[in-house]
């Protein structure tokens, strides 16, 4: 979760006195080691659309959601857990932490912690249209193995 705290601090720095920072001010190079754990999602009144999905996010969603997801590399809007993260983030319009479990079609569910950060792609900084998600994942089977060791 250390990297999530660093990303939140960066969000605060680039936000300055605005309600939402500009997505253009976000510096992913500051978090290059963690880019596979990031997803950038834009939205309008009715739809969410991916702008970027890190390889770790794709891998964990594929693991949790089965073969159907691996054919469709979108962020898994059919996943109840991720749909909840996105809808709540859109509604609350502030940085939020989420914990949950991805277990749609998986024998071994994947636990996650996600930091959701609102950004604006528009010139009006009082509205946001983009959410950056910083994920940490843990396969439950690995958790049980570690606890038993």
């Amino acid at each position: 979760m250390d990297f999530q705290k660093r990303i939140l601090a960066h969000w605060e720095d680039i936000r300055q006195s605005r309600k939402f920072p500009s997505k253009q001010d976000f510096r992913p190079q500051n978090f290059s080691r963690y880019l596979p754990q990031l997803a950038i999602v834009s939205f309008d009144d009715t739809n969410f659309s991916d702008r970027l999905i890190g390889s770790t996010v794709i891998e964990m969603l594929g693991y949790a959601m089965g073969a159907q997801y691996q054919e469709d590399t979108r962020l898994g809007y059919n996943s109840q857990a991720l749909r909840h993260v996105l809808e709540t983030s859109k509604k609350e319009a502030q940085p939020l932490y989420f914990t949950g479990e991805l277990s749609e079609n998986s024998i071994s569910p994947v636990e996650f912690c996600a930091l959701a950060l609102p950004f604006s792609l528009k010139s009006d900084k009082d509205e946001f249209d983009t959410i950056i998600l910083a994920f940490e994942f843990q396969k439950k089977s690995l958790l049980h193995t570690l606890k038993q060791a």
Side-chain angles (χ1 to χ4, degrees):
M1 232 160 85
D2 183 48
F3 93 96
Q4 291 173 330
K5 290 178 185 175
R6 287 181 46 224
I7 289 175
L8 178 59
H10 179 62
W11 183 88
E12 288 286 353
D13 287 344
I14 63 175
R15 182 173 66 111
Q16 301 172 358
S17 61
R18 300 176 300 215
K19 186 171 182 178
F20 305 109
S22 170
K23 166 57 185 78
Q24 294 174 355
D25 293 336
F26 181 70
R27 297 292 172 248
Q29 63 270 27
N30 293 350
F31 311 99
S32 58
R33 181 174 160 201
Y34 301 105
L35 291 178
Q37 294 170 243
L38 297 180
I40 301 174
V41 179
S42 294
F43 62 87
D44 58 25
D45 291 336
T46 57
N47 298 309
F48 292 102
S49 59
D50 301 328
R51 297 184 63 80
L52 173 128
I53 306 173
S55 58
T56 300
V57 178
I58 290 172
E59 179 185 340
M60 291 295 103
L61 286 171
Y63 180 83
M65 297 181 74
Q68 178 184 1
Y69 179 77
Q70 293 174 12
E71 295 170 7
D72 181 1
T73 57
R74 292 177 301 138
L75 188 56
Y77 306 123
N78 294 330
S79 162
Q80 258 187 320
L82 290 181
R83 188 76 185 182
H84 170 74
V85 167
L86 293 169
E87 292 289 349
T88 303
S89 297
K90 184 177 172 181
K91 179 181 158 193
E92 295 295 324
Q94 64 181 340
L96 297 170
Y97 280 99
F98 295 88
T99 58
E101 187 176 90
L102 301 172
S103 60
E104 264 58 32
N105 298 317
S106 178
I107 295 169
S108 298
V110 176
E111 291 185 352
F112 72 91
C113 175
L115 169 63
L117 297 170
F119 282 86
S120 176
L121 284 175
K122 302 173 186 170
S123 58
D124 181 359
K125 304 300 186 233
D126 288 335
E127 292 183 25
F128 78 105
D129 54 6
T130 302
I131 300 167
I132 293 182
L133 299 168
F135 286 99
E136 286 199 4
F137 295 100
Q138 186 68 53
K139 292 179 187 173
K140 257 194 166 177
S141 59
L142 292 177
L143 287 175
H144 293 300
T145 303
L146 291 174
K147 288 179 183 176
Q148 292 173 2

